[in-house]
Amino acid sequence: LTLRATQSSLVALAGWLAVVVSQEVECTMAKALSKNPIHLGLGATAVVESEISGMDWYAKYQDRHESDGAEARLVSMFTFDGSWPHWEMHPHGTEVVLCTGGSMTLIQEIDGNEIRTKLHAGEYAINAPGVWHTADVDEPVTAIFMTAGLGTQHRPR
């Protein structure tokens, strides 16, 4: 269910004249982040995305939001029960990885070395731009990812 509302604010001009400025704001009822990621775009916008349906979804996502450039962020949540089969890298911005349940080992490749960081529920790590990363999982784990996805690359492990 999506509702549309009008947000009004007063803007004071020269101390004595007020003008009402309106803009349409989309209000969305509860959604599951694990099914519908959120695009955070320019102008402090938030857009509910369709369910991720595979790797081709990401290419379509980039096409839809290309005009937001490197400032855009994709907020998504995944539950894993096994280690990632690939490495990934985000060349144009940082990624925050927030573990919300279970634990995982984030592996970052920095200067040719693999840096392993254990994350437990409530802990996060940051992947810097250009840092290849993957994860090992020994138990089911859930994490939220806030990703600057423009130009994301993958390679096999």
Side-chain angles (χ1 to χ4, degrees):
L1 175 63
T2 300
L3 305 173
R4 295 205 180 272
T6 300
Q7 176 183 17
S8 297
S9 58
L10 295 177
V11 179
L13 301 175
W16 58 273
L17 175 65
V19 176
V20 176
V21 177
S22 295
Q23 93 181 40
E24 190 171 273
V25 176
E26 188 173 292
C27 302
T28 303
M29 304 311 283
K31 298 276 188 189
L33 187 59
S34 60
K35 291 189 186 222
N36 295 100
I38 303 165
H39 169 78
L40 301 178
L42 298 179
T45 59
V47 177
V48 176
E49 290 294 321
S50 63
E51 191 169 345
I52 296 174
S53 56
M55 293 307 283
D56 64 322
W57 182 93
Y58 291 96
K60 292 175 186 173
Y61 165 80
Q62 285 192 17
D63 290 344
R64 281 193 303 277
H65 299 292
E66 184 177 23
S67 63
D68 285 349
E71 296 306 311
R73 295 292 181 271
L74 177 64
V75 181
S76 57
M77 181 167 66
F78 294 99
T79 298
F80 304 93
D81 58 8
S83 297
W84 298 1
H86 62 271
W87 290 84
E88 70 174 14
M89 184 269 292
H90 313 289
H92 300 293
T94 59
E95 175 183 53
V96 176
V97 178
L98 169 63
C99 181
T100 61
S103 63
M104 64 191 287
T105 301
L106 180 69
I107 305 165
Q108 298 171 314
E109 189 179 79
I110 300 174
D111 297 327
N113 298 309
E114 289 186 5
I115 309 300
R116 296 175 167 271
T117 304
K118 187 79 167 186
L119 298 176
H120 301 279
E123 297 179 331
Y124 68 90
I126 297 174
N127 292 314
V131 170
W132 285 95
H133 54 279
T134 190
D136 282 340
V137 175
D138 295 324
E139 62 180 307
V141 61
T142 301
I144 294 175
F145 300 86
M146 291 154 269
T147 308
L150 182 66
T152 294
Q153 299 172 31
H154 294 93
R155 70 177 194 213
R157 253 178 115 167

